[in-house]
Amino acid sequence: MAEKSSSSTNAPTAAAASGSNYSETERKNIDNVVEYMHIAYDPKRASADAVRHLCAAHNRFTAPTTFPGIHTCEQYAEDHAKVMKQVNDLHFVHFDVLFARDDRVCLRYTAEGSHSGEAHGDIEASGKHARWEASAIFRLDSDHKITEFIKDWNKLSMWKQFGWPINECLEMESL
């Protein structure tokens, strides 16, 4: 089970995986994944430029049902920033699972936020709160750069809690 950090924001940290005997490589991989996630989930910092130093050239992002047109880790951070303009207090509650083995880091997390920012289409900010879970599998290279990020998130739960049109969760661009 992952632990919360002791910081004032209560943001989860790589210490969540401290109970295991990780190699130096696995520890560095965990640290880079956690840094990437904290940037990508920070409404003030999320952008392709902010995560570029953590990503390998020619990396791959896969989440066809929730981010069908996004194909790199940098694109994901950029696109996620758009969601956070609407849910401008979006944050991690905790990392439920965080572990590494060789070049892989696996993460399951709980996040939450309120629709207190920009409008979602024609729906003005409602202040409605939502909480959801998602999983991520990362692969990193020998320089601890992210080469692959596979995200598993059913955004339907979040959309329902915010009262956003659920048909948006069912529409997919052609792959």
Side-chain angles (χ1 to χ4, degrees):
M1 184 68 125
E3 305 164 8
K4 288 185 185 178
S5 76
S6 58
S7 70
S8 60
T9 61
N10 238 3
T13 67
S18 64
S20 298
N21 295 320
Y22 291 111
S23 69
E24 182 179 341
T25 293
E26 291 166 339
R27 175 71 49 207
K28 287 179 181 178
N29 288 346
I30 290 169
D31 289 345
N32 282 359
V33 164
V34 169
E35 181 180 354
Y36 174 89
M37 292 298 284
H38 280 293
I39 294 169
Y41 276 72
D42 183 332
K44 295 181 176 86
R45 299 188 302 159
S47 71
D49 288 339
V51 298
R52 196 172 316 280
H53 70 287
L54 299 166
C55 301
H58 312 292
N59 66 71
R60 182 174 60 198
F61 173 81
T62 305
T65 61
T66 52
F67 293 92
I70 306 302
H71 303 289
T72 70
C73 297
E74 295 92 343
Q75 288 175 333
Y76 169 74
E78 197 72 36
D79 201 64
H80 201 252
K82 294 174 188 173
V83 172
M84 289 187 296
K85 287 181 180 176
Q86 299 167 7
V87 185
N88 61 359
D89 64 346
L90 190 152
H91 62 277
F92 292 115
V93 176
H94 47 79
F95 291 160
D96 307 305
V97 177
L98 173 60
F99 65 92
R101 175 92 186 235
D102 301 325
D103 64 345
R104 306 285 176 160
V105 174
C106 297
L107 173 64
R108 177 143 177 95
Y109 57 92
T110 301
E112 68 182 356
S114 301
H115 182 202
S116 303
E118 295 179 359
H120 179 83
D122 295 333
I123 301 171
E124 292 298 321
S126 64
K128 289 182 180 177
H129 182 265
R131 187 176 189 147
W132 59 93
E133 296 83 28
S135 298
I137 301 170
F138 292 88
R139 186 167 50 91
L140 295 90
D141 65 16
S142 60
D143 293 323
H144 314 289
K145 303 287 186 187
I146 299 168
T147 60
E148 184 176 27
F149 173 7
I150 301 169
K151 181 174 177 121
D152 181 28
W153 171 49
N154 180 349
K155 66 183 181 183
L156 182 60
S157 171
M158 178 179 146
W159 256 240
K160 283 182 174 181
Q161 290 174 70
F162 285 143
W164 294 352
I166 60 171
N167 65 312
E168 295 175 353
C169 298
L170 307 174
E171 298 169 357
M172 286 182 36
E173 297 174 13
S174 61
L175 302 174

